[in-house]
Amino acid sequence: MNTVLLQTRIRATTIYPSDIEPWDGCLSGKPGVSPGYDALQFAIDECHKRGMELHAWVVTLPIGNWKSYGCQMLRRRYPAMVKHIGGEGYLTPEASQTADYLSDICREITYRYDIDGIHLDYIRYPETWRGFKQAGYITQIVRKIHDTVKSYKPWVKISCSPIGKYDNLSRYSARGWSANGTVAQDAQGWLRQGLMDQLYPMMYFQGNNFYPFAIDWKEQSYGRTIVSGLGIYMLHPKERNWPITEIERQLNVTRQLGLGHCYFRAKFLLDNIKGVFRLVEDFDKYPSLIPPMTWAHSIPPSAPTALYVERTPQGDRLIWYGAQNRSDAPNLLYNVYAANDETVDIENPVNLIASRQTDTQLFVRHSAANGQTLQYAITAIDRYGNESNPVRSAILPKNEANKKTPAFIPNDGETLAVPQAAFDAGLLVISDIQGREIRTIINHPKINISSLKDGIYQLRSRHKKGIQHRLGYFIVKR
């Protein structure tokens, strides 16, 4: 699992403290009342800790029951923007304010939060809409949101969940229910125009209502990412009571086509309806990196320049350094690979033990597998998903292979104990990992390092004739 779509705008209400719309009642129990915490920020933090992306799922045009809290608030402020259909409220695509209003919500989320995507739900006319449906109005809203989000953070993905059949195919009919033909949702056109980075088609069908249309999405992807939305809720006896073999077949076919897959919705997955969670555990057994947005930026970061492994009885401490970002997005991330052989093949998903790490160090417990010592490789990855070449853990020469790996010089973040080998030197030199001098100090058994930033450093001795000897490395981590 590498992506979570979290419903952030519910029905003219939100799960975060918004300046535009009120709190939804799903968290506090009462619409308009804060739950006392920011659910969106919490979810972002927890996803990023686990190497997953968080996309803010924004329900666009539906604004709930006509008498619901959010709908009432919105229609009082913008009556010309709201339409009443069958007891429900909807934003009117034709209203000049609608595109600006929805883009303002997406701007607020993008500006305030370190999200990885904006996911637009129900970006289409309602089925019950009376009168002509004009695709140009829906596209105008999509373009406004795209341009707004990308102006702030061009690495944030724009996606939507269109109806699972784009239109009639030459051999297969959509049976009166398609994105483009029925509700003016030109999702494939949005891919072609560069307005969408991903699509999550709602392919909640079986047989010829699923497979030919999955192929069509793939063939009309224009190099973007297609993630087939699987209707696992259909497994429930109160729904269509599908057999689990139907989902298994859909998973296998979409993977063969090169499509991603997602599960609608999380509850049915976690409730393990008909064993679907166990199926997914086996089918999605190994980690999967998110395809890079090469259409937005394609130059990967430089590889880290150094990887140090400290072997301990409890496991291996990995520390790396030196990757350079080559994109306009902040915060390089890191993928960690491990294997028993020296090459550490980064193309093999079995070897990926941690992805999208924000820190430049990792402790790997139980590093020995079958009595063998693990080797490691680290790659840098930018927010567009471009991955660098790897830096691999150093392999000791044969005559050094059985020697104990030296420990880093101990310190408490404030004081460093100087190794005894340096006691006859006149000066000590602290350098960064590339050897650039940071500070020269008079030799003393304990030196103050409180002013150093967190990172990896070298300690060298300097004798009267200027001769230097490296005494070792130390890590400052407070």
Side-chain angles (χ1 to χ4, degrees), residues 81-302:
M81 196 168 63
V82 178
K83 194 175 184 70
H84 189 190
I85 306 176
E88 299 289 316
Y90 294 89
L91 294 181
T92 306
E94 287 89 342
S96 59
Q97 301 164 299
T98 298
D100 290 336
Y101 184 80
L102 289 173
S103 67
D104 283 345
I105 291 171
C106 294
R107 175 191 288 112
E108 180 179 63
I109 296 170
T110 303
Y111 181 76
R112 289 186 182 180
Y113 296 94
D114 187 21
I115 56 168
D116 302 285
I118 289 284
H119 180 73
L120 305 177
D121 190 28
Y122 223 111
I123 187 72
R124 56 185 169 92
Y125 282 90
E127 306 89 289
T128 52
W129 187 273
R130 294 181 180 178
F132 186 65
K133 302 180 182 73
Q134 302 181 66
Y137 284 112
I138 306 295
T139 297
Q140 179 183 350
I141 297 171
V142 171
R143 178 173 284 109
K144 181 70 175 182
I145 292 172
H146 169 276
D147 293 351
T148 297
V149 169
K150 297 293 186 178
S151 69
Y152 282 95
K153 296 176 181 177
W155 58 91
V156 169
K157 299 176 177 69
I158 304 294
S159 68
C160 74
S161 47
I163 290 172
K165 304 171 186 178
Y166 175 70
D167 221 331
N168 293 323
L169 304 178
S170 59
R171 294 179 57 197
Y172 298 94
S173 170
R175 300 187 178 185
W177 182 234
S178 67
N180 189 51
T182 308
V183 291
Q185 190 178 38
D186 186 16
Q188 290 182 1
W190 300 338
L191 292 176
R192 184 179 62 253
Q193 297 172 55
L195 301 179
M196 289 280 166
D197 301 298
Q198 297 179 326
L199 292 184
Y200 293 75
M202 300 184 294
M203 305 190 66
Y204 310 152
F205 312 108
Q206 297 184 80
N208 286 339
N209 287 313
F210 181 94
Y211 300 102
F213 295 93
I215 294 170
D216 180 58
W217 287 114
K218 174 64 177 180
E219 290 178 344
Q220 306 301 325
S221 63
Y222 299 95
R224 305 305 202 258
T225 306
I226 306 294
V227 184
S228 51
L230 304 184
I232 60 171
Y233 71 97
M234 292 291 195
L235 296 168
H236 200 283
K238 292 183 179 179
E239 294 288 343
R240 298 294 178 85
N241 201 25
W242 284 1
I244 190 65
T245 52
E246 179 62 35
I247 296 298
E248 185 175 17
R249 184 184 179 202
Q250 292 182 4
L251 283 168
N252 280 295
V253 170
T254 52
R255 180 165 287 177
Q256 290 168 11
L257 291 173
L259 304 178
H261 55 269
C262 64
Y263 306 99
F264 184 78
R265 57 188 168 89
K267 172 180 170 53
F268 296 93
L269 182 65
L270 299 177
D271 286 351
N272 195 29
I273 301 298
K274 291 189 178 178
V276 66
F277 190 89
R278 291 191 296 272
L279 169 65
V280 168
E281 278 188 306
D282 182 62
F283 190 81
D284 290 329
K285 188 174 183 178
Y286 300 115
S288 176
L289 297 179
I290 298 163
M293 299 167 62
T294 52
W295 52 89
H297 179 80
S298 61
I299 302 174
S302 67

Side-chain angles (χ1 to χ4, degrees), residues 189-455:
W190 300 338
L191 292 176
R192 184 179 62 253
Q193 297 172 55
L195 301 179
M196 289 280 166
D197 301 298
Q198 297 179 326
L199 292 184
Y200 293 75
M202 300 184 294
M203 305 190 66
Y204 310 152
F205 312 108
Q206 297 184 80
N208 286 339
N209 287 313
F210 181 94
Y211 300 102
F213 295 93
I215 294 170
D216 180 58
W217 287 114
K218 174 64 177 180
E219 290 178 344
Q220 306 301 325
S221 63
Y222 299 95
R224 305 305 202 258
T225 306
I226 306 294
V227 184
S228 51
L230 304 184
I232 60 171
Y233 71 97
M234 292 291 195
L235 296 168
H236 200 283
K238 292 183 179 179
E239 294 288 343
R240 298 294 178 85
N241 201 25
W242 284 1
I244 190 65
T245 52
E246 179 62 35
I247 296 298
E248 185 175 17
R249 184 184 179 202
Q250 292 182 4
L251 283 168
N252 280 295
V253 170
T254 52
R255 180 165 287 177
Q256 290 168 11
L257 291 173
L259 304 178
H261 55 269
C262 64
Y263 306 99
F264 184 78
R265 57 188 168 89
K267 172 180 170 53
F268 296 93
L269 182 65
L270 299 177
D271 286 351
N272 195 29
I273 301 298
K274 291 189 178 178
V276 66
F277 190 89
R278 291 191 296 272
L279 169 65
V280 168
E281 278 188 306
D282 182 62
F283 190 81
D284 290 329
K285 188 174 183 178
Y286 300 115
S288 176
L289 297 179
I290 298 163
M293 299 167 62
T294 52
W295 52 89
H297 179 80
S298 61
I299 302 174
S302 67
T305 56
L307 167 59
Y308 297 91
V309 180
E310 181 182 9
R311 312 284 186 183
T312 77
Q314 293 76 33
D316 294 342
R317 184 179 301 280
L318 281 58
I319 301 172
W320 57 92
Y321 190 90
Q324 298 295 317
N325 195 351
R326 293 169 176 166
S327 78
D328 56 357
N331 307 329
L332 280 181
L333 307 168
Y334 301 93
N335 298 326
V336 181
Y337 302 83
N340 290 325
D341 61 277
E342 297 174 353
T343 57
V344 193
D345 181 9
I346 68 170
E347 298 297 324
N348 188 343
V350 177
N351 295 336
L352 181 60
I353 63 170
S355 61
R356 296 173 57 86
Q357 298 293 294
T358 58
D359 207 348
T360 54
Q361 61 178 290
L362 182 70
F363 189 79
V364 182
R365 296 187 183 278
H366 310 296
S367 61
N370 300 321
Q372 295 180 306
T373 300
L374 287 177
Q375 300 297 330
Y376 298 95
I378 310 290
T379 61
I381 188 169
D382 63 26
R383 295 296 293 273
Y384 293 94
N386 299 294
E387 188 177 25
S388 76
N389 291 324
V391 60
R392 291 181 169 86
S393 48
I395 302 169
L396 293 174
K398 290 183 179 180
N399 61 347
E400 296 286 329
N402 295 323
K403 291 185 179 181
K404 182 180 179 181
T405 304
F408 290 90
I409 303 171
N411 70 89
D412 60 4
E414 301 293 328
T415 303
L416 179 80
V418 176
Q420 190 171 4
F423 285 180
D424 62 342
L427 297 173
L428 299 173
V429 178
I430 296 175
S431 306
D432 66 15
I433 205 70
Q434 276 93 15
R436 295 185 290 255
E437 289 191 10
I438 296 173
R439 187 191 306 167
T440 302
I441 51 182
I442 297 174
N443 195 349
H444 190 275
K446 291 186 178 182
I447 57 176
N448 188 331
I449 58 170
S450 60
S451 62
L452 295 179
K453 298 179 180 178
D454 287 6

